[in-house]
Structure formats: C-alpha cells, structure tokens
Amino acid sequence: MTQTAAADTRFRYEDLGALIALMTGAEKHGPAATSTLDALWVLYDRILRVGPGTAEDPGRDRFLLSKGHGPMAYYAVLAAKGFFPVDWLSGFGAYDSPLGHHPDRTLIPGVEIGSGSLGHGLPLAVGSALGLRAQGLADADVWVLIGDAELDEGSNHEALAYAGSAGLERLHTIVIDNDSATHGWRGGIASRFEAAGWSAVTVDGRDHAALHAAYTAPHPGRPLAVVARVEKKR
C-alpha cells in the first residue's frame, strides 16, 4: 500500500482555520484543539500512509488520537484530507451529527479509536503495534497523540515502560506538552521516555520543519517519542 493522505491537495494548512471556524457547537476545549493542529497537519500531510481509499487496508498506518477532548483540529484535518465531507463540520456537536465532542470510531471514517478519557490511547497503541507485529505487517506504523497531562495516568506509565522493553520500533508517540501535567517538569517528558528505552526528541510544536524532522528521525530497535512544546497561550 502506497497511497497517502497527501494525495488530496484541495486544502492547505492555511485553510484549516476556516474549517475549524465552521464548527460552532458548544465546545469547551478550544485550546486543546488548537494545540494539536500543527502536529496533526504535518503527520497527515507528509507522514501517514493512509487516505480515504485505504482507511480499511490492513497494511495502512494507524493514527490514534488519545487527546480526544477538543477534537476540532482533528476533524478539520480529516475533512481537509477527504475522509468525510466538509459540510459535516457545521453540524459539530449536534444531536444527529457524527462529529461529537469526543471522536467515535463507529461514526467517523478514518478514526481508529473512540477517545477522550485520559490515559487510554498509548496502551491501545502498544497493543496495536504488537498485533501488527504478530500478523507480520512489518511496514505498518502506529502513531498516537497524547497530552502531557495523560502521563499522570498509571496506564501510560505501564505502556511506555513495556513498549521500550519490547522494542516496538513501529510505535510513535507525539506528546503535546503545554505544562499541563501535575507531576511533570519542564524537559522531563523526553527523559522519562528515554529511561524506558525509547528514542525521544523535543521540538517546537508549531514548527513544521522541526516536526517533520523529528517524525522521520531514525530509531532502530526503539519506539519514538516526539515531544511537541506548545505554549498554553497559543
């Protein structure tokens, strides 16, 4: 499988603000959405081997949004890449809309997991990477995006500890770091992953070139963590 989301060129990064503006439902997590926008765009535009026509292909790359509260940026990117019609966006949050305040994998094309509760995405990504390895799907990458506050959850500690020891090199975690973690400290996220056997890099979460370089950094035999620093005020 070689098709990528980048094959859809109808929308550019500059269009995402207008797409997000179409979602006028009572959303209480606007900053949570905008903090992920750049990381998601670079991932879907330049990295992931999946598109609307290959969303069910067994050999596709998987993206799991663990930071599922405030999914407006995620929905905007999926619409921009053709996974569902743009006119769905204006119904965001409505009773009869597939676009809820938390993503639902049974309702939205391209969504791999239902999410929103903290601490579940990374364990699910570890299980996905293990399952793909067991099936011999050696070229399928698994990506998961989590918030820094999710690292307060014990489930994530166990998942990152296991993934490093298991050498899950097809597993990639993007951590949106806006100093929201209760038990974290500045610069501490990357060291936490490294101590568990991961390759880790910290970048400006708004810098597309830096994000792309981090996403494509070699990490043989190890899972990769990309810590994307995003200031809360943005």
Side-chain angles (χ1 to χ4, degrees):
M1 187 193 74
T2 58
Q3 180 175 341
T4 67
D8 190 328
T9 58
R10 292 176 299 164
F11 294 96
R12 302 169 300 160
Y13 171 78
E14 291 76 14
D15 299 316
L16 296 179
L19 294 180
I20 290 175
L22 295 174
M23 291 176 271
T24 57
E27 173 54 54
K28 305 303 182 185
H29 292 289
T34 56
S35 69
T36 67
L37 185 63
D38 298 272
L40 285 170
W41 177 256
V42 174
L43 188 64
Y44 272 90
D45 192 55
R46 302 175 65 182
I47 301 296
L48 288 178
R49 298 180 312 111
V50 65
T54 56
E56 301 297 327
D57 191 305
R60 72 189 183 280
D61 289 345
R62 273 78 167 168
F63 171 72
L64 284 61
L65 180 70
S66 186
K67 188 178 168 69
H69 52 290
M72 293 185 293
Y74 185 38
Y75 292 160
V77 170
L78 288 176
K81 291 302 178 183
F83 285 89
F84 58 78
V86 169
D87 60 13
W88 282 18
L89 297 175
S90 60
F92 168 67
Y95 175 76
D96 59 351
S97 172
L99 305 183
H101 289 172
H102 291 183
D104 187 328
R105 66 175 296 274
T106 68
L107 299 177
I108 307 170
V111 171
E112 297 282 356
I113 61 170
S115 60
S117 298
L118 297 180
H120 297 311
L122 183 54
L124 289 169
V126 170
S128 297
L130 285 170
L132 292 169
R133 175 192 280 182
Q135 295 175 72
L137 295 170
D139 294 328
D141 285 332
V142 177
W143 290 79
V144 58
L145 186 149
I146 70 175
D148 58 336
E150 292 190 70
L151 293 173
D152 292 340
E153 303 291 336
S155 55
N156 275 332
H157 173 76
E158 294 173 0
L160 74 88
Y162 177 82
S165 64
L168 296 180
E169 66 180 357
R170 310 306 296 193
L171 175 64
H172 310 75
T173 299
I174 305 166
V175 186
I176 302 298
D177 179 14
N178 59 7
D179 295 324
S180 294
T182 301
H183 305 300
W185 64 95
R186 182 176 287 271
I189 294 177
S191 63
R192 184 171 176 180
F193 279 88
E194 288 170 341
W198 292 58
S199 178
V201 60
T202 301
V203 299
D204 180 344
R206 303 294 186 187
D207 186 328
H208 291 197
L211 285 165
H212 183 261
Y215 291 169
T216 55
H219 51 99
R222 296 186 176 196
L224 172 67
V226 176
V227 182
R229 286 281 307 165
V230 179
E231 296 298 328
K232 283 185 177 181
K233 66 181 180 180
R234 298 174 71 182

